[in-house]
Amino acid sequence: MKKLFIISSKSGRGRDKDFERELLKYFKEDEIKITEKAGDTISFAEDFRDKGGDLLFIKAGDGALSEVASVLRGSDTALGLVPGGTGNDFSKNFRPFELSNIFNYEISPIDLVEVNGKTCINVTSLGFDTNVLKYAYDIMKRKNISGKLAYLYGVIKSVANLEIVNLKISYCDQEDIAREITGRFLVSALCNGSYYGNGFNPSPRGRLDDGLLNLILAREMGALGIIKLFSSYRKGTHLGKPGVREIISRSGVISSDQEFLYNIDGEIYRASEISYKVLPKALKWIYYKE
């Protein structure tokens, strides 16, 4: 059984030397790789995949995890996550991780999403929440503050500078029936996983292996409406609230008459149209047992 453990040194607060020493109880030195520069995560994963690797574990945040998922998509190499980022949102879909339990696992496939040719493992979203990310990333670069405080700052800035996006959404539902809706939306979150944005739960009914995507839409609302929605959106109790809608979809196109910011697993892009489709059971996933 060939195995590899990648540590993303850029995730979270940097390298954890105590963790690295503990890891040597379970992996040989040549089975551990630590990233040093941009692109290392992808090159390590590609090399391991091409050599017929069986189990690839990564200690990283959602961004680096997404990179590795894109490399392993459709391959025989299984992927396991050790939370190591700022928000660690994707890890919230699973039981808490214990290093001592790393080889007590089962492998089962999960879905991925293709968005404008890129691979998404967790959530693609646009509107208010991407602006929150933009402001949060900006202040984290300028100030040495925690992720939670940065996200709070991002929320406040986004409320003060509301940007509503006029969208046309053409999609195929779970029965592959073509449908279309239009409107001015505050949030549009296309979810494979359930959590994003440092603990928010936009898709409480989402599943990673059902071949479906949960598109969560919140229509245009003012600052007071956002404040009322904020708590329930974090807890996952927002579905059914006024102005909030959940659409079950397999594929679609989201477009606007102007460019908008959107993010794929926390990486920000700009476009006037995004095309997406679910990739059922495209990634072998390592589930840790108790």
Side-chain angles (χ1 to χ4, degrees), residues 61-67 86-90 115 118-126 129-138 140-141 151 190 195-198 261-269:
D62 289 354
L65 174 70
S66 184
E67 290 180 341
T86 301
N88 296 315
D89 290 299
F90 194 70
V115 181
K118 299 181 183 295
T119 301
C120 171
I121 193 172
N122 191 27
V123 175
T124 290
S125 66
L126 58 108
D129 45 7
T130 300
N131 284 304
V132 170
L133 275 182
K134 177 184 69 175
Y135 290 123
Y137 289 168
D138 178 64
M140 280 193 284
K141 287 179 182 177
Y151 277 96
L190 183 67
Y195 297 87
Y196 78 146
N198 212 288
L261 292 178
Y262 71 102
N263 78 87
I264 300 175
D265 295 332
E267 294 294 320
I268 297 177
Y269 304 91

Side-chain angles (χ1 to χ4, degrees), residues 8 11 20 24 52 72-73 76 85 117 134 140 148 153 193 200 229 260 274 280:
S8 175
S11 300
E20 292 174 24
L24 289 171
L72 300 187
R73 155 182 165 181
D76 289 327
K134 177 184 69 175
M140 280 193 284
K148 287 187 177 180
Y153 169 83
F200 284 86
L229 180 63
F260 51 80
I274 60 175

Side-chain angles (χ1 to χ4, degrees), residues 52-283:
D54 299 297
L55 305 175
L56 192 159
F57 302 88
I58 182 168
K59 184 176 188 287
D62 289 354
L65 174 70
S66 184
E67 290 180 341
V68 174
S70 70
V71 171
L72 300 187
R73 155 182 165 181
S75 77
D76 289 327
T77 305
L79 177 59
L81 173 65
V82 176
T86 301
N88 296 315
D89 290 299
F90 194 70
S91 69
K92 295 179 177 67
N93 291 290
F94 311 101
R95 67 176 78 254
F97 172 78
E98 295 288 342
L99 183 56
S100 60
N101 207 35
I102 194 166
F103 293 132
N104 183 20
Y105 63 84
E106 61 183 22
I107 296 174
S108 185
I110 63 172
D111 304 333
L112 295 173
V113 192
E114 184 173 284
V115 181
N116 281 3
K118 299 181 183 295
T119 301
C120 171
I121 193 172
N122 191 27
V123 175
T124 290
S125 66
L126 58 108
F128 181 83
D129 45 7
T130 300
N131 284 304
V132 170
L133 275 182
K134 177 184 69 175
Y135 290 123
Y137 289 168
D138 178 64
I139 198 170
M140 280 193 284
K141 287 179 182 177
R142 294 187 289 108
K143 308 282 187 181
N144 185 25
I145 64 173
S146 70
K148 287 187 177 180
L149 284 176
Y151 277 96
L152 179 59
Y153 169 83
V155 169
I156 294 170
K157 286 282 288 185
S158 296
V159 170
N161 301 276
L162 278 180
E163 296 181 22
I164 309 298
V165 185
N166 192 36
L167 297 177
K168 180 173 82 170
I169 304 172
S170 304
Y171 68 97
C172 290
D173 66 12
Q174 63 266 47
E175 305 299 332
D176 286 326
I177 298 173
R179 301 186 183 276
E180 182 176 295
I181 60 172
T182 60
R184 288 173 57 79
F185 296 98
L186 175 74
V187 173
S188 306
L190 183 67
C191 304
N192 187 37
S194 294
Y195 297 87
Y196 78 146
N198 212 288
F200 284 86
N201 185 8
S203 181
R205 296 194 290 225
R207 290 183 55 189
L208 291 166
D209 58 358
D210 60 0
L212 300 171
L213 300 172
N214 300 67
L215 176 58
I216 311 301
L217 301 170
R219 287 195 173 269
E220 179 179 13
M221 62 184 71
L224 182 59
I226 295 172
I227 292 169
K228 289 181 178 178
L229 180 63
F230 186 85
S231 177
S232 61
Y233 198 63
R234 175 170 284 277
K235 296 176 183 177
T237 58
H238 55 288
L239 298 182
K241 300 281 187 183
V244 179
R245 181 176 180 180
E246 179 184 43
I247 291 171
I248 307 301
S249 174
R250 294 185 187 275
S251 63
V253 176
I254 302 174
S255 60
S256 177
D257 54 5
Q258 63 187 55
E259 282 197 333
F260 51 80
L261 292 178
Y262 71 102
N263 78 87
I264 300 175
D265 295 332
E267 294 294 320
I268 297 177
Y269 304 91
R270 182 181 292 274
S272 59
E273 178 178 292
I274 60 175
S275 176
Y276 70 87
K277 63 180 178 180
V278 67
L279 305 172
K281 303 188 186 304
L283 178 68

